[in-house]
Amino acid sequence: MIASIGLEVHVQLRTNTKMFCGCPNRYGGEPNTHVCPVCLGYPGALPVINAEAVRLTVMTGLLLGCRINLKNKFDRKNYFYPDQAKNYQISQYDQPLCEGGQLEIQLKDRTKIIRITRIHLEEDVAKNTHFGDGSGIDFNRAGTPLMEIVTEPDMDNEDEAFAFLTALKQILAYADISDCNLEQGNIRCDINTSVRPTRESPLGTKVEIKNMNTFRGAHRALAHEIQRQIREVQRGRAIPQETRRWDDDAGVSSSMRTKEYAHDYRYFPEPDLLPVELTQTQVDTWAALLPERPPERRERMVRDYGIPDYDAGVLAADRAIADYFEKAARLSGKGKAVSNWMMSEMMRLLTATGQEIGAVKITPEALAALVALVEAKTINQPAAKEVFAVLFEQGGDPQQIVQDRGLVQVSDTGAIQGLVDQVLRENERSVQDYRSGKEAALQFLVGQVMRISKGKANPQLARELLLKAIGS
Amino acid sequence: MAELTQLTLHETLDALARGTCSSEDVTRAYLDRIAAVDDRIGAFLHLDRDQALADARAADARRKAGQGGRLLGVPLAMKDVLNVKGHPCTCGSQILKGYVAPYDATAVARLRAEGAVIMGRLNMDEFAMGSSNENSSYHPVRNPYDLGRVPGGSSGGSAAAVAADEITASLGSDTGGSIRQPASFCGVVGVKPSYGRVSRYGLTAFASSLDQIGPFTKEVADAALLTEVMSGGDPLDSTSVPGPAPELLATMKQGIRGFRIGLPKEYFQGGMDAATEALVRAAVKQLEALGAEPVEISLPHTEYAIATYYIIATAEASANLARFDGVRYGNRIAGVDPIDMYEKTRSAGFGNEVKRRIILGTYVLSSGYYDAYYKKAQKVRALIRRDFDEAFKTCQAIVTPATPSAAFGFGEKTGDPLQMYLSDIFTVTTNLAGICGMSVPCGFAGGTLPVGLQILGPAFREDNMFRVAHAYEQATAWRGKRPPLAVDAGRTGA
């Protein structure tokens, strides 16, 4: 049996204000404090389209290779529910902002294209909370801009769906389209799944699982749902068209409603709004401001900085990290060295301290200067690590830190020769070990030179002088 | 000097400017007049006497301080469908009982900015659905010219209050004739501006693509002033047309010599009361005497107008009225779950005509019927609009009766909704086409019941319409006529 999965991904857009009124589009706040007559659906209040939300949706469409409908419109989707202030949602029905398009996802051994059906803009609903003795509705979220991305049923399993969501999130974060904070519900999805015997068979009856808040949850729900459907079919049962709810704690899904109870949304054009008319010039202007997408950036960074593809992939995954890297790499001219610092110390310390790259004290300028100090052999690698740690913790100028801590590498042959002589005197046993073929003894001797130099000796020079003294 | 309550808006402004009376005097006179006659008329749903007097005193203080305002100190009353901050706004319905508006409609805010004193809430058909005011869930409004007859609807309170000298001018809303028809029945001036001319922000929606706010006044100049003040683009209403208000007071006096006045042949093909037709034909003669040239025009899709109107208006209304669910404001009747609460609240809160239209509108939008009804109605609407575009290529304004007959009696049409709907036959096309229209008094059927002349102008050519209306008004004696009620009360009242 083969599963076919299509997603409807709801993305909260990063705008200052709500979709149709001037209230702040901000997560949290005391309940019902970011509200006005418009988003509360008061008598006589009228919607006005948020132009920034339109721009962000068009940007998303451009990033996903969609066709932008210069003429599009909003419609009313009618249904009664307490989280809906007007008991209709302003959405886009038959003329969405974007149609067509695709997103490439990364699987273990290959990439795969997932087709995008459409992207439209609508308003989010309020949040219901149930108490022991009643229910409360918080309208702070009501009317915030929500972009819905609908895919074709191109994903075969839960891993592909997960990869799609991950890749989509990366692009949305890259272009500052959404904060992409899953805990705050910035990205939620409905999943449509069906199974069929072979790829040649027509699609099976689809089952919709509503309102998944995490990618992990979507993955688990899908794994469960696909197995459930296969079991049903193998037992000779038909899959009814229905909407199901996933209980992530219990790891089971249950039916919400079947087709007979499907809503008739009675869509019709929103008479309070004029159709949206964009110009090609406007769209072109926005297109020119599109950020490079992660896959292209990865390739370019390999070319521009001569770094390994794997490193480029890791760095390009996050726009802020990639920006940081490129700035430091350009300043220092040593892309590979900068990449090494990013991949090792920077990533390790970011993870350990839970900091964002945008908030770190070590500036790209300081990192470039640190790389220069190493390249010039002013300091050696262990000293550089120490300096990096100080920069990460406190910031500042690497040169100054090297001075203050007396970390300047000793590369004076005379001075190091004295140390080498001392080490040879005190470690005759190791000298003999080396001469009898124990290569590791040389490393020990270099280590001793470093120890008595308090880490300041140039290790290459120490090694050369040692070899010269004990012969090879 | 005449009674303060008999003054037109301009006369009131003159009196205030000369200092012969204060805003408090005028407001007090209206409050007394309302106290004296409104138990017979039933125009007001709500009146805050103390607040009105306080606002009037504030206006007097502004005048003393040398501050201006085109409406400074003039009391005005609002149809109960317009949001005025701190005032109730029930839309004539039980479902909004207890709702107090937290904001001002843009039109109201603009009147206030010019110094108007906003006083009282005027009765109406529930949610502006009706042509007789018999659908008010509170009490009926009576026609000041004949208390046994309806004042028209849905803005019946707004028209009757002006006719009965309870206020010098008021605002109403017109979705299919709800200003022009009651203006005609009550013998006052009523204007429906072009769609997009006056912001709808704060007007509780009946049918969003048809609704417009407009004034009721005692003379054309007053209506021109109020239309000017309220007009102009509003960032809060995307369907309002950007740009400044039209200059109507300055242009309306230019006369109509050489104007071509269109007479739609489809409107004069029977179905019209003989007395009404005679008065309208006499009015056309008068316009001719003023130098205009009557021309016959054709609006071929007129016969589809009522059906088209009732599909589009009810479809939009079915969604617009969905928000009245008892969750956030107004009446709530508890239920075992949200759906039960909605059903109980809406069953008890809406009257029969509102329910009928919600059901109609829900039906025409439902899956499988959308194309046959709503979509087809939109196509016919485009044809009706084109009819007017074509017609206005050959004339500057169109003249028709505002209504097929003068005011009818209570209960005469309540048994047959279709008969009631047909009383809008001459007015609905204006809203479908988005053009402007107004009704001005043109005489009395049988010598007692007012009849209105409807004047239509192309979209955003209110200036044409006002030129015709003003010229006609100045040449005839209908202005200043008042119902016998006013005379009685004038003798015995304040």
Side-chain angles (χ1 to χ4, degrees):
Chain A
M1 297 292 283
I2 290 173
S4 300
I5 303 159
L7 299 174
E8 294 169 19
V9 188
H10 294 93
V11 180
Q12 289 188 320
L13 298 177
R14 188 175 180 173
T15 57
N16 289 327
T17 55
K18 290 188 180 182
M19 186 63 225
F20 297 113
C21 63
C23 291
N25 175 18
R26 203 177 306 138
Y27 178 80
E30 283 294 302
N32 297 312
T33 50
H34 303 159
V35 293
C36 74
V38 176
C39 57
L40 284 175
Y42 267 56
L46 296 174
V48 177
I49 296 170
N50 182 332
E52 176 65 0
V54 172
R55 186 186 71 87
L56 291 173
T57 304
V58 170
M59 294 282 269
T60 307
L62 293 169
L63 284 164
L64 297 178
C66 297
R67 188 166 72 250
I68 308 300
N69 288 331
L70 294 180
K71 189 160 179 183
N72 59 87
K73 69 176 171 73
F74 285 88
D75 302 276
R76 290 186 184 177
K77 178 181 181 180
N78 296 286
Y79 65 95
F80 277 85
Y81 203 69
D83 64 8
Q84 253 319 12
K86 305 180 292 296
N87 287 316
Y88 59 81
Q89 180 187 32
I90 306 179
S91 180
Q92 295 191 294
Y93 180 51
D94 55 353
Q95 291 174 38
L97 266 163
C98 316
E99 286 181 276
Q102 59 180 49
L103 179 60
E104 187 180 282
I105 60 170
Q106 188 68 47
L107 304 175
K108 275 199 188 75
D109 49 349
R110 65 197 172 96
T111 58
K112 181 175 176 179
I113 298 289
I114 306 299
R115 290 170 299 158
I116 307 289
T117 314
R118 56 181 273 158
I119 308 176
H120 70 256
L121 196 47
E122 60 189 29
E123 54 179 338
D124 208 343
V125 296
K127 219 170 199 165
N128 292 353
T129 311
H130 303 288
F131 312 111
D133 56 347
S135 297
I137 313 174
D138 177 6
F139 284 91
N140 285 353
R141 192 181 70 183
T144 56
L146 201 61
M147 173 175 71
E148 182 171 332
I149 301 170
V150 182
T151 77
E152 294 291 312
D154 286 354
M155 289 153 276
D156 293 347
N157 54 53
E158 61 273 21
D159 293 336
E160 292 187 12
F162 188 84
F164 177 86
L165 290 168
T166 309
L168 181 65
K169 179 185 172 204
Q170 194 183 61
I171 281 194
L172 295 173
Y174 235 77
D176 276 338
I177 283 161
S178 170
D179 288 334
C180 294
N181 188 327
L182 296 187
E183 286 77 42
Q184 296 182 1
N186 289 165
I187 305 181
R188 316 188 291 270
C189 68
D190 300 338
I191 305 168
N192 292 303
T193 324
S194 61
V195 295
R196 51 180 164 168
T198 66
R199 223 170 265 287
E200 286 68 43
S201 334
L203 286 172
T205 307
K206 80 175 175 188
V207 170
E208 182 175 22
I209 307 172
K210 279 268 183 211
N211 231 348
M212 302 303 310
N213 289 314
T214 66
F215 296 177
R216 284 270 150 232
H219 189 268
R220 272 198 295 273
L222 262 173
H224 178 274
E225 178 60 21
I226 292 168
Q227 286 316 308
R228 188 190 70 84
Q229 288 190 22
I230 290 175
R231 264 200 317 276
E232 290 290 294
V233 171
Q234 283 170 347
R235 283 174 192 162
R237 296 185 193 149
I239 305 284
Q241 186 174 333
E242 62 178 344
T243 301
R244 295 179 76 85
R245 179 189 296 116
W246 171 250
D247 182 340
D248 205 33
D249 295 328
V252 294
S253 64
S254 55
S255 186
M256 274 169 80
R257 58 171 182 259
T258 53
K259 195 189 176 188
E260 296 91 88
Y261 298 100
H263 289 295
D264 178 359
Y265 290 121
R266 304 190 311 279
Y267 282 101
F268 74 102
E270 167 57 282
D272 285 332
L273 297 171
L274 302 177
V276 178
E277 292 190 26
L278 302 169
T279 63
Q280 191 58 50
T281 317
Q282 181 63 76
V283 173
D284 291 345
T285 311
W286 291 337
L289 298 172
L290 280 182
E292 200 175 12
R293 300 190 318 161
E296 283 96 62
R297 189 167 197 179
R298 171 185 186 154
E299 285 173 26
R300 182 179 57 74
M301 294 205 315
V302 169
R303 275 199 315 276
D304 287 3
Y305 305 106
I307 59 175
D309 183 59
Y310 175 79
D311 294 13
V314 172
L315 295 174
D318 183 300
R319 186 178 173 184
I321 287 180
D323 287 348
Y324 186 104
F325 161 75
E326 289 209 63
K327 186 164 185 196
R330 275 197 300 273
L331 284 166
S332 85
K334 303 282 174 193
K336 181 72 179 73
V338 172
S339 168
N340 287 344
W341 282 110
M342 295 296 294
M343 295 294 291
S344 55
E345 290 305 285
M346 185 68 93
M347 292 298 191
R348 187 177 65 75
L349 287 169
L350 285 178
T351 309
T353 59
Q355 285 189 64
E356 295 285 336
I357 189 83
V360 294
K361 295 206 168 94
I362 175 170
T363 61
E365 288 80 3
L367 179 55
L370 178 62
V371 167
L373 288 172
V374 176
E375 290 291 326
K377 298 191 166 53
T378 308
I379 54 173
N380 56 35
Q381 198 59 29
K385 259 191 185 172
E386 185 182 335
V387 175
F388 188 97
V390 174
L391 286 169
F392 191 89
E393 208 185 307
Q394 304 167 2
D397 171 24
Q399 187 75 49
Q400 193 60 46
I401 293 166
V402 167
Q403 296 294 335
D404 292 351
R405 302 203 158 212
L407 295 173
V408 175
Q409 181 165 256
V410 177
S411 296
D412 171 54
T413 310
I416 294 182
Q417 188 64 57
L419 299 171
V420 165
D421 291 346
Q422 185 189 341
V423 166
L424 291 175
R425 270 200 310 279
E426 289 169 3
N427 295 282
E428 279 184 26
R429 181 72 190 264
S430 297
V431 173
Q432 273 161 23
D433 284 351
Y434 178 76
R435 283 181 175 143
S436 59
K438 283 190 181 165
E439 287 284 330
L442 178 63
Q443 201 46 48
F444 172 77
L445 293 170
V446 173
Q448 290 307 303
V449 175
M450 296 307 291
R451 186 180 61 81
I452 60 174
S453 75
K454 297 195 173 68
K456 286 189 272 186
N458 178 332
Q460 274 84 39
L461 192 52
R463 187 184 166 88
E464 280 168 29
L465 293 175
L466 279 167
L467 279 173
K468 204 164 154 191
I470 59 181
S472 53
Chain B
M1 190 180 130
E3 291 284 341
L4 287 177
T5 56
Q6 295 186 359
L7 302 182
T8 66
L9 200 165
H10 275 92
E11 288 165 352
T12 308
L13 283 168
D14 284 347
L16 288 167
R18 285 200 311 274
T20 55
C21 66
S22 67
S23 175
E24 187 178 352
D25 296 336
V26 177
T27 304
R28 209 175 277 284
Y30 281 119
L31 289 168
D32 291 348
R33 173 74 181 172
I34 293 163
V37 304
D38 203 53
D39 57 341
R40 278 177 284 167
I41 304 297
F44 279 83
L45 287 178
H46 174 84
L47 194 59
D48 187 337
R49 199 182 161 88
D50 294 339
Q51 187 61 52
L53 288 170
D55 289 350
R57 282 190 287 269
D60 286 332
R62 276 175 68 175
R63 187 177 292 278
K64 235 179 215 141
Q67 289 165 1
R70 299 178 75 190
L71 301 169
L72 186 55
V74 178
L76 298 173
M78 300 295 138
K79 185 179 183 182
D80 200 28
V81 74
L82 285 154
N83 282 267
V84 177
K85 191 173 179 177
H87 293 209
C89 179
T90 69
C91 300
S93 179
Q94 296 300 314
I95 208 163
L96 275 173
K97 216 170 178 176
Y99 165 69
V100 174
Y103 73 104
D104 271 343
T106 298
V108 171
R110 288 181 178 175
L111 298 178
R112 271 201 214 270
E114 293 295 342
V117 173
I118 308 298
M119 163 179 130
R121 311 290 303 167
L122 293 166
N123 206 348
M124 56 184 282
D125 283 305
E126 184 176 6
F127 287 107
M129 296 174 180
S131 308
S132 68
N133 229 110
E134 289 164 291
N135 296 332
S136 166
S137 78
Y138 294 95
H139 50 77
V141 181
R142 297 178 183 281
N143 192 315
Y145 279 92
D146 180 345
L147 298 179
R149 292 178 187 267
V150 303
S154 66
S155 312
S158 301
V162 173
D165 292 334
E166 295 180 79
I167 198 77
T168 191
S170 63
L171 293 194
S173 64
D174 189 317
T175 306
S178 282
I179 289 175
R180 291 158 289 157
Q181 188 251 23
S184 170
F185 281 10
C186 293
V188 297
V189 175
V191 175
K192 184 208 92 77
S194 309
Y195 185 78
R197 183 59 101 184
V198 176
S199 167
R200 292 183 297 116
Y201 189 77
L203 167 66
T204 308
F206 160 15
S208 312
S209 74
L210 301 161
D211 296 341
Q212 266 291 290
I213 298 168
F216 287 89
T217 60
K218 296 182 174 186
E219 62 171 1
V220 172
D222 291 353
L225 172 59
L226 290 176
T227 305
E228 275 188 19
V229 170
M230 290 189 291
S231 295
D234 176 13
L236 297 176
D237 176 4
S238 310
T239 63
S240 73
V241 171
E247 293 204 359
L248 302 172
L249 283 167
T251 57
M252 71 180 184
K253 293 174 185 157
Q254 290 169 351
I256 53 170
R257 188 155 300 281
F259 253 43
R260 290 160 70 89
I261 305 285
L263 301 174
K265 64 176 185 196
E266 291 81 3
Y267 286 42
F268 290 90
Q269 285 169 349
M272 194 190 304
D273 181 77
T276 297
E277 179 161 5
L279 288 168
V280 170
R281 297 232 182 251
V284 171
K285 282 266 175 287
Q286 183 65 59
L287 294 175
E288 211 174 344
L290 290 164
E293 179 197 345
V295 292
E296 189 186 79
I297 56 161
S298 175
L299 300 169
H301 296 92
T302 300
E303 62 174 305
Y304 306 111
I306 292 280
T308 302
Y309 172 80
Y310 276 94
I311 289 169
I312 292 172
T314 58
E316 292 179 6
S318 73
N320 282 331
L321 270 62
R323 68 186 61 192
F324 305 113
D325 57 10
V327 172
R328 284 145 293 125
Y329 44 76
N331 242 337
R332 176 193 297 171
I333 295 174
V336 293
D337 57 40
I339 299 300
D340 188 42
M341 177 184 77
Y342 293 155
E343 288 177 359
K344 289 196 164 109
T345 300
R346 289 165 67 82
S347 295
F350 289 136
N352 283 340
E353 181 61 26
V354 173
K355 285 178 190 162
R356 177 174 10 252
R357 296 199 196 188
I358 290 174
I359 291 167
L360 257 174
T362 303
Y363 176 77
V364 300
L365 289 175
S366 57
S367 171
Y369 297 96
Y370 181 91
D371 286 357
Y373 293 105
Y374 185 78
K375 204 168 171 188
K376 184 165 273 176
Q378 291 293 4
K379 287 180 182 162
V380 178
R381 182 178 188 175
L383 294 174
I384 289 172
R385 193 176 287 139
R386 209 171 64 191
D387 282 355
F388 280 100
D389 288 346
E390 288 300 315
F392 280 122
K393 285 179 184 165
T394 60
C395 60
Q396 279 76 35
I398 294 172
V399 159
T400 81
T403 56
S405 69
F408 46 87
F410 286 100
E412 231 176 80
K413 300 193 179 188
T414 42
D416 185 351
L418 194 58
Q419 272 306 307
M420 188 72 89
Y421 295 173
L422 283 170
S423 59
D424 298 332
I425 181 78
F426 298 137
T427 47
V428 293
T429 49
T430 314
N431 303 74
L432 289 169
I435 61 174
C436 54
M438 67 192 286
S439 176
V440 288
C442 71
F444 293 86
T448 55
L449 293 175
V451 169
L453 177 71
Q454 180 174 237
I455 305 164
L456 307 176
F460 303 103
R461 293 308 303 269
E462 281 82 0
D463 54 337
N464 283 7
M465 178 174 86
F466 272 97
R467 277 170 73 173
V468 176
H470 187 257
Y472 176 76
E473 177 193 63
Q474 296 301 311
T476 53
W478 311 122
R479 188 175 66 130
K481 293 275 184 242
R482 34 185 36 87
L485 175 89
V487 177
D488 296 342
R491 271 204 308 270
T492 59

